[in-house]
């Protein structure tokens, strides 16, 4: 299959291309497209064959459910069994936007789309290209992130091309995404609303609308051995090819620990990558030093993280060290991704921990 690559401006989507892309999806094909969170790999959510193709194109395990994207509030009714009052409140506050809600599904949604579950994840994205495409495709697009399974989610269309060239009919390039982390997922099918995946819409924002909100316990203690409720969270994600370790603690200690490691690596012929901030970038002596932006600008850190992780692969970084980005409004969402990328390897310099070299 040849993949058609089209550049599009979100402010003025080319409707003839959108119409053609919509037809591709209606006929069972796949189109990668921009959303405000990350790029999505879209197929017809109500066609089991399309969902099978999505899993195949991504190389994704088929028990890992897809998110159904809609472009009108009223389109939710046919695909769910009931709409809890919490969902109405959340939709009013955060849709269109980077929030995914889990509902009990109706029979219209095939099990292929939900990874065999009786529940369905639904999101109404705010990106104008995404909205136009969903409409042109008949109203329901199943779309996971448009990366090969295990790789960082694409925040630029060129990464969709890198991962999916020859595997999808079309890629729509709408520029760099605004948020850069996948949507927040909240489960509304239990007694209490539960956050299954942290994102731009954080716990505090959700609590302001709903009152009580729980966080899935596997997000807090990831090594508990309990399976996370969002099936995708159990898979290793976002991993760069090099080994990534997070170095926590006071700035000077972090810098000197990373520089010590970089020196060791250099002496042993290994390339070192560093994820840092504008404030610290000049303090490092390593092969590939990448700043995610000013430390106070969490939006920048979120937006740049996946790009940086991918770039280390191109740079051939073999040992990668990252400063920590906890705290702040987006800290939980950023650290959730970074910890997964690091396979939960953390060195806490404040507690006297140091890196062990081998
Ligand atoms: P992605 O769009 O690639 O981030 O993948 C969507 C993620 O949403 C999956 O990996 C799941 O973790 C989560 N998800 C989708 N549907 C459900 C569901 N019905 N219940 C719980 N989690 C879900
Ligand atoms: Mg994904």
């Amino acid at each position: 299959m040849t993949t058609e690559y089209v550049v599009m401006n979100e402010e003025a989507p080319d409707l003839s291309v959108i119409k053609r892309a919509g037809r591709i999806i209606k006929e069972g094909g796949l189109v990668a497209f921009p959303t405000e969170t990350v790029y999505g790999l879209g197929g017809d959510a109500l066609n089991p064959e399309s969902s099978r193709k999505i899993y195949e194109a991504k190389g994704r395990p088929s028990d890992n459910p897809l998110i159904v994207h809609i472009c009108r509030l009223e389109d939710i009714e046919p695909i769910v069994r009931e709409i809890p009052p919490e969902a109405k409140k959340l939709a009013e506050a955060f849709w269109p936007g980077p929030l995914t809600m889990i509902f009990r599904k109706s029979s219209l949604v095939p099990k292929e789309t939900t990874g065999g579950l009786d529940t369905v994840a639904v999101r109404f994205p705010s990106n104008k290209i995404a909205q136009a495409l969903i409409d042109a495709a008949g109203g329901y697009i199943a779309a996971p992130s448009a990366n090969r399974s295990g790789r960082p989610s694409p925040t630029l269309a060129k990464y969709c091309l890198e991962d999916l060239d020859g595997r999808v009919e079309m890629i729509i390039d709408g520029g760099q995404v605004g948020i850069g982390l996948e949507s927040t997922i909240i489960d509304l099918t239990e007694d209490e609303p539960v956050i299954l995946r942290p994102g731009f819409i954080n716990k505090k924002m959700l609590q302001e609308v709903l009152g009580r909100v729980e966080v899935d316990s596997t997000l807090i203690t990831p090594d508990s051995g309990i399976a996370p409720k969002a099936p995708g969270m159990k898979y290793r994600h976002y991993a760069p090819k090099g080994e990534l370790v997070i170095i926590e603690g006071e700035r000077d200690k972090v810098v000197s620990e990373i520089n010590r490691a970089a020196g060791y690596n250099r002496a042993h012929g290994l390339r070192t990558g560093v994820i840092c901030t504008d404030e610290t970038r000049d303090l490092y002596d390593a092969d590939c030093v990448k700043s995610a932006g000013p430390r106070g600008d969490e939006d920048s850190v979120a937006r740049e993280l996946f790009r940086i992780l991918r770039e280390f692969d191109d740079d051939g970084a073999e040992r990668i060290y990252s400063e920590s980005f906890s705290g702040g409004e987006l800290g939980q969402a950023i650290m959730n991704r970074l910890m997964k990328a690091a396979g939960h390897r953390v060195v806490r310099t404040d507690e006297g921990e140091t890196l062990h070299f081998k």
Side-chain angles (χ1 to χ4, degrees):
M1 178 193 308
T2 18
T3 298
E4 185 184 353
Y5 189 94
V6 193
V7 178
M8 205 178 282
N9 177 356
E10 192 191 343
E11 299 316 314
D14 180 337
L15 293 180
S16 67
V17 176
I18 292 284
K19 215 167 140 191
R20 204 149 46 79
R23 202 174 320 123
I24 291 172
I25 291 177
K26 276 183 174 164
E27 288 170 359
L30 304 181
V31 176
F33 63 98
T35 81
E36 66 275 25
T37 56
V38 298
Y39 274 78
L41 168 57
D44 181 352
L46 307 186
N47 178 354
E49 192 49 40
S50 297
S51 295
R52 265 185 236 118
K53 278 193 201 165
I54 291 175
Y55 289 117
E56 197 186 315
K58 273 184 75 88
R60 175 176 186 146
S62 59
D63 67 344
N64 189 351
L66 311 174
I67 294 172
V68 178
H69 292 69
I70 58 172
C71 62
R72 279 172 294 265
L73 263 185
E74 60 268 29
D75 287 350
I76 197 166
E77 267 160 47
I79 58 169
V80 304
R81 260 198 273 157
E82 73 238 327
I83 303 178
E86 291 88 353
K88 292 198 176 124
K89 290 189 200 161
L90 291 176
E92 201 169 303
F94 302 117
W95 275 3
L99 179 70
T100 296
M101 298 189 229
I102 311 280
F103 299 87
R104 287 182 214 290
K105 78 172 192 70
S106 78
S107 57
L108 203 60
V109 186
K111 287 250 176 150
E112 283 78 0
T113 299
T114 64
L117 298 174
D118 281 326
T119 53
V120 60
V122 186
R123 182 162 101 82
F124 180 173
S126 65
N127 182 288
K128 296 286 179 277
I129 296 172
Q131 289 182 357
L133 179 64
I134 296 162
D135 190 28
Y140 301 100
I141 291 186
S145 49
N147 50 284
R148 289 278 293 169
S149 198
R151 301 217 66 203
S153 299
T155 51
L156 290 160
K158 69 172 182 182
Y159 297 138
C160 303
L161 191 65
E162 212 173 271
D163 281 16
L164 300 173
D165 194 14
R167 296 174 173 271
V168 299
E169 274 80 2
M170 189 190 277
I171 294 171
I172 301 176
D173 180 348
Q176 184 173 16
V177 299
I179 294 177
L181 301 176
E182 307 86 343
S183 58
T184 306
I185 302 181
I186 187 163
D187 185 0
L188 301 174
T189 67
E190 305 283 343
D191 296 340
E192 296 284 346
V194 186
I195 297 170
L196 304 187
R197 177 170 76 185
F200 182 83
I201 308 287
N202 63 29
K203 187 177 177 193
K204 201 169 109 217
M205 293 156 85
L206 293 165
Q207 275 172 332
E208 272 163 21
V209 175
L210 295 183
R212 200 153 161 218
V213 177
E214 303 286 324
V215 178
D216 186 23
S217 57
T218 61
L219 294 181
I220 303 161
T221 44
D223 299 328
S224 61
I226 307 164
K229 283 199 63 193
M233 302 294 280
K234 72 173 181 259
Y235 294 105
R236 184 151 185 247
H237 259 69
Y238 321 123
K241 291 180 188 135
E243 184 184 275
L244 171 64
V245 185
I246 301 166
I247 314 293
E248 280 186 359
E250 193 203 312
R251 184 175 117 168
D252 292 350
K253 275 196 190 152
V254 169
V255 170
S256 76
E257 185 62 5
I258 291 177
N259 280 335
R260 191 171 72 86
Y264 173 91
N265 294 341
R266 185 173 302 123
H268 290 78
L270 295 164
R271 281 178 76 74
T272 301
V274 181
I275 305 176
C276 62
T277 57
D278 287 356
E279 290 82 353
T280 52
R281 83 183 320 153
D282 293 339
L283 305 176
Y284 291 107
D285 181 16
D287 301 297
C288 334
V289 179
K290 295 182 192 292
S291 170
R295 179 151 284 279
D297 185 354
E298 291 188 293
D299 289 347
S300 168
V301 176
R303 201 166 47 239
E304 303 303 336
L305 180 64
F306 287 145
R307 177 184 63 80
I308 290 174
L309 290 176
R310 277 185 180 255
E311 281 179 4
F312 283 132
D313 289 350
D314 300 335
D315 296 339
E318 293 158 293
R319 299 270 170 93
I320 305 164
Y321 308 98
S322 179
E323 294 180 5
S324 180
F325 298 96
S326 49
E329 304 283 309
L330 277 177
Q332 198 188 23
I334 293 168
M335 289 311 288
N336 170 264
R337 285 11 177 237
L338 197 56
M339 288 288 267
K340 274 167 158 287
H344 298 278
R345 284 180 294 262
V346 184
V347 167
R348 297 176 177 86
T349 60
D350 284 354
E351 294 172 19
E353 292 177 3
T354 54
L355 277 160
H356 298 288
F357 304 123
K358 47 182 181 317

